[in-house]
Amino acid sequence: MKHLKKWKTLNSNLVFNNPWCQIRQDEVELPNGKIINDFFINIRPDIALVFALTENQEIVFVRQYRHGVGEIFLELPAGAVEPNFESAESGAMRELTEETGYTAGNLTKIATLYDNPVKDTNKLHLFFAQNAKKSSEQVLDITEDIEVVLVPASEVMDKIAAGDICVSGSIAAIFLGLNYLRKLEQDLTL
């Protein structure tokens, strides 16, 4: 088995600092001794995603425009966690309510994943919410124009296969959420 080594950070400078975007330039020494002086890192907030399931076995999705690629996507409710003000769980509950108007009695954390560990610092916190109910109107940010879409759990894999759902974080949360749901259903039959 090969013994992998971490890179050594020799110097680090914040080269762009904006509330919505921070970029750090690192000078690193590789395990082979080579020096790279321009390895750029995106400092991004953690994201909370919610696999919310209604009593009718429908998954709560949002359809919205994403300017980075200029397309409209069907994805799970998600958003940035405010690290100084909230936990990942409370951020997930807030995002679910703000984007969809749905709430759930409780959330269960099903996984923590890294979004893009090559260049980004953030994690994805995936939550499962059972018995989600419409409880209010959406409270959207100025940049958000969101349509709430309920997809029967039995149809979601077909939507992924057809390319209708193609955002990686949502797909990971769907697979893990369906797996968690299957385990819950198995536990109920024991």
Side-chain angles (χ1 to χ4, degrees), residues 20-71:
W20 298 104
C21 179
Q22 293 179 316
I23 300 174
R24 186 180 78 217
Q25 181 179 3
D26 287 352
E27 178 182 8
V28 295
E29 181 180 341
L30 305 179
N32 63 12
K34 300 256 190 253
I35 305 288
I36 297 175
N37 64 5
D38 61 351
F39 198 90
F40 291 93
I41 304 292
N42 298 312
I43 301 170
R44 299 181 59 200
D46 285 1
I47 302 294
L49 286 95
V50 185
F51 178 100
L53 191 68
T54 68
E55 290 178 339
N56 294 329
Q57 301 298 296
E58 295 168 312
I59 302 169
V60 180
F61 281 89
V62 294
R63 186 185 324 273
Q64 62 187 320
Y65 174 75
R66 295 301 196 177
H67 189 66
V69 295
E71 296 292 336

Side-chain angles (χ1 to χ4, degrees), residues 14 42 46 49 72 76 78 85 99 104 111 118 124 158 161 169 171 183 189:
L14 197 58
N42 298 312
D46 285 1
L49 286 95
I72 295 172
L76 293 176
F85 306 109
E99 290 189 355
V118 174
L124 301 177
D158 290 339
I171 291 173
K183 287 181 180 179
T189 60

Side-chain angles (χ1 to χ4, degrees), residues 90-105:
S90 61
M93 190 68 82
R94 175 184 50 76
E95 287 292 340
L96 175 64
T97 303
E98 287 176 359
E99 290 189 355
T100 69
Y102 278 75
T103 56

